[in-house]
Amino acid sequence: MNPHSHVPSSAFDTPFTTTNAGAPVWNDDHSLTLGPRGPILLEDYHLIEKIAHFARERIPERVVHARGASAKGFFECTHDITHLTCADFLRAPGVKTPVIARFSTVVHERGSPETIRNPRGFAIKFYTREGNWDFLGNNFPVFFIRDGMKFPDLMHAFRPNPKNNVPENWKMFDFLSHFPESIHTFFFLFDDVGIPMDYRHMEGFGVNTYTFINRQGEMHYVKFHWKPACGVHSLLDDEAITVGGKNHSHATQDLYEAIAAGSYPEWKLYVQVMGIEHEDHFDFDPLDDTKIWPEDLLPLQPVGRLVLDRNIDNFFAENEQLAFNPGLVVPGIYYSDDKSLQSRVFAYADTQRYRLGPNYLSLPVNAPKCAFHNNQYDGPMNFVQRNDEVDYFPSRTVPHRHAERYPIPNTVITGRREKSSIKKQGDDFKQPGERFRSWEHDRQERFIHRWAVALGHPKVSHELRTIWLSFLSKCDESLGREVANHL
């Protein structure tokens, strides 16, 4: 058998990126949106195909966030924010909502150590009286890219070399050298917080911008922040080596044992709120997930607390089959035109349908605690027996009706079809530079050392070193100089 028989024909070869069907792609960096800010159009076939293919690259573990630990508990509203949102579970202080939370590493496989320098996932499923709200965030407030079109490429760049399965930083630096906005997230990844001590001692951030809507239809942009009651603590590099060498599941074990001992992990929920009419008051786009909102201008407002007081009963049923999707929102909470969020709304639901099947929302851990009615029948792994004769809507036999209308964003959006980046990108180096200068000297030194080690990899070319030293110098001149000296 010809070993090259599976290789596509070289006839009509082209230097251009193409679809799987061979059509040229004239823009593989930006989603097709209505105007430069969005929202994304469903007709962007290349975006949908690219993300759908990425979600199906691994069987059966999650394509990202494969390694994780879960626990159950409740969320209690502690402050009145009904002037901001009509979300039922936030209707009054004292209201409690059952939840299940999952913490995870992002890049590596299910059996990988929990001491790897890596972003961490921070996800919570709220079983509210009006359906489930899935909060999906990370332990960093920013992300590497602005547009979901580049997410499959980002994960490929962070993963081991497909030729030898060895992690090699040059891939990451090569890819992200084209996206200087990624430098901000590196100031978290290469900082001490890049390796949390365990899941109980790390923060959570929504990263994306969402929209709060109240009963009157008034809208505000919102960012979510979770602060651990026991403080933020991390592992330094030598500590991580020691801990990881003894126990590659240390964070999972810590979470389980703390809850079993009655030392229940707790987080406080805060929000930053921005009037939509004020979005032009900043030198960056508030929907850009590579930027943070300045807390001196948009202070944190307390909302409630999350308490995890029960361990899961079965790891497979309540961790591996636990499925999150940012598309699951409730009245009073809605998406924004954040391009990354818009892509995630499709991507997460699609990957769960692939990983668990089209009936994944019927699994006990994913099903809502409130009543639900729809006509989505059958399909693989359907285990809910239905005896109804009417499997359509509307019907004069079954008196189901539309719910009372609740407000959703009603802003007028105009624009032309285009693939482009957001217009107001701001200074990609200002915020990371300010973060670096806020640290104590020893923390700066550790950060510099990690950069020098990463850029000193023999496969990181001189060109890539030069580019990243330039990025670091634009953040802080002394930082770039010190990393260069270490190299």
Side-chain angles (χ1 to χ4, degrees):
M1 179 179 177
N2 181 357
H4 301 293
S5 60
H6 65 284
V7 177
S9 170
S10 60
F12 309 108
D13 197 9
T14 173
F16 306 123
T17 300
T18 71
T19 67
N20 286 341
V25 176
W26 66 269
N27 188 324
D28 194 31
D29 289 333
H30 304 293
S31 304
L32 184 65
T33 54
L34 185 66
R37 296 184 73 210
I40 289 174
L41 299 179
L42 186 61
E43 68 185 63
D44 190 345
Y45 169 81
H46 179 55
L47 169 70
I48 301 299
E49 187 73 12
K50 185 174 182 179
I51 293 178
H53 185 278
F54 174 70
R56 290 159 173 78
E57 286 183 357
R58 299 291 186 273
I59 301 173
E61 72 178 28
R62 289 169 169 86
V63 68
V64 288
H65 297 274
R67 179 69 194 264
S70 303
K72 296 179 282 190
F74 65 88
F75 174 82
E76 180 183 10
C77 179
T78 58
H79 291 72
D80 184 0
I81 60 168
T82 53
H83 62 292
L84 295 173
T85 175
C86 60
D88 179 73
F89 75 101
L90 299 173
R91 63 188 179 275
V95 172
K96 291 185 178 181
T97 302
V99 303
I100 185 168
R102 186 176 189 268
F103 311 104
S104 57
T105 58
V106 174
V107 176
H108 300 283
E109 64 277 4
R110 190 164 54 194
S112 59
E114 292 178 310
T115 50
I116 293 179
R117 184 169 297 279
N118 203 260
R120 263 59 173 180
F122 193 110
I124 308 167
K125 186 181 293 290
F126 294 73
Y127 300 102
T128 86
R129 300 193 310 181
E130 292 188 321
N132 290 356
W133 176 45
D134 283 4
F135 168 89
L136 290 95
N138 285 339
N139 66 323
F140 303 157
V142 289
F143 199 57
F144 295 96
I145 53 174
R146 297 187 175 107
D147 196 315
M149 178 68 84
K150 303 312 297 176
F151 186 75
D153 301 291
L154 176 71
M155 290 297 102
H156 288 167
F158 268 83
R159 285 183 170 150
N161 188 324
K163 185 174 182 178
N164 57 22
N165 202 39
V166 175
E168 296 175 347
N169 281 337
W170 69 269
K171 296 171 67 238
M172 169 181 71
F173 290 131
D174 178 31
F175 169 66
L176 289 175
S177 67
H178 299 277
F179 302 94
E181 64 268 25
S182 67
I183 190 71
H184 196 179
T185 308
F186 276 109
F187 277 62
F188 291 87
L189 180 63
F190 282 3
D191 180 26
D192 292 347
V193 297
I195 309 178
M197 176 183 288
D198 49 56
Y199 295 131
R200 293 184 297 126
H201 291 87
M202 74 178 192
E203 295 177 289
F205 300 92
V207 184
N208 297 120
T209 300
Y210 284 80
T211 306
F212 268 167
I213 311 173
N214 64 17
R215 292 288 180 194
Q216 292 72 42
E218 298 168 335
M219 298 178 294
H220 293 82
Y221 287 141
V222 61
K223 290 268 196 181
F224 297 102
H225 300 249
W226 296 90
K227 304 293 183 183
C230 55
V232 177
H233 296 284
S234 306
L235 293 175
L236 301 184
D237 300 79
D238 55 345
E239 295 172 326
I241 292 173
T242 301
V243 171
K246 295 178 178 178
N247 182 0
H248 80 297
S249 300
H250 82 285
T252 296
Q253 182 176 342
D254 173 83
L255 180 67
Y256 187 90
E257 292 181 348
I259 295 174
S263 180
Y264 302 140
E266 181 174 334
W267 286 261
K268 305 291 187 183
L269 173 61
Y270 298 86
V271 293
Q272 284 180 290
V273 179
M274 178 190 298
I276 292 180
E277 69 277 9
H278 298 146
E279 63 178 338
D280 292 329
H281 294 184
F282 301 89
D283 60 358
F284 61 90
D285 192 319
L287 307 189
D288 181 354
D289 62 10
T290 70
K291 302 290 190 299
I292 59 174
W293 291 2
E295 293 183 13
D296 56 336
L297 300 177
L298 300 166
L300 298 181
Q301 303 181 35
V303 176
R305 68 187 186 115
L306 168 71
V307 179
L308 300 180
D309 58 3
R310 287 179 296 147
N311 279 310
I312 57 177
D313 300 306
N314 180 276
F315 182 80
F316 181 79
E318 296 181 300
N319 185 288
E320 293 305 289
Q321 291 194 130
L322 177 57
F324 293 94
N325 173 13
L328 299 182
V329 294
V330 293
I333 302 176
Y334 204 73
Y335 326 113
S336 72
D337 292 341
D338 178 336
K339 290 187 182 183
S340 171
L341 175 59
Q342 294 259 320
S343 296
R344 295 176 76 208
V345 168
F346 162 77
Y348 279 71
D350 185 58
T351 194
Q352 305 300 6
R353 284 189 291 266
Y354 166 67
R355 191 173 67 89
L356 298 171
N359 289 294
Y360 75 96
L361 287 175
S362 296
L363 291 165
V365 72
N366 300 320
K369 306 299 184 185
C370 61
F372 61 101
H373 307 282
N374 60 53
N375 298 303
Q376 297 175 14
Y377 281 74
D378 305 331
M381 298 301 292
N382 174 43
F383 54 90
V384 178
Q385 181 172 332
R386 306 233 182 161
N387 301 316
D388 307 319
E389 292 183 307
V390 174
D391 56 358
Y392 47 85
F393 177 86
S395 166
R396 301 188 189 278
T397 303
V398 179
H400 289 156
R401 59 185 178 87
H402 287 129
E404 298 298 323
R405 182 173 180 176
Y406 54 83
I408 61 173
N410 59 0
T411 50
V412 177
I413 302 172
T414 60
R416 61 186 181 186
R417 290 182 175 90
E418 58 182 284
K419 280 180 170 280
S420 63
S421 184
I422 57 175
K423 300 301 182 185
K424 198 173 186 180
Q425 298 181 5
D427 187 340
D428 291 327
F429 308 102
K430 177 183 176 181
Q431 290 186 354
E434 291 171 346
R435 177 173 172 81
F436 175 77
R437 289 186 290 274
S438 72
W439 295 335
E440 296 294 334
H441 179 71
D442 59 338
R443 188 170 177 178
Q444 292 180 343
E445 282 296 312
R446 291 192 294 271
F447 183 75
I448 290 168
H449 174 73
R450 292 174 192 127
W451 269 105
V453 170
L455 293 178
H457 190 282
K459 283 195 173 184
V460 177
S461 67
H462 175 73
E463 178 187 16
L464 287 177
R465 287 195 189 103
T466 301
I467 291 171
W468 284 98
L469 288 173
S470 171
F471 288 170
L472 293 170
S473 296
K474 289 177 180 178
C475 295
D476 184 274
E477 186 176 348
S478 66
L479 169 61
R481 183 173 60 251
E482 286 299 313
V483 173
N485 290 339
H486 279 63
L487 283 170

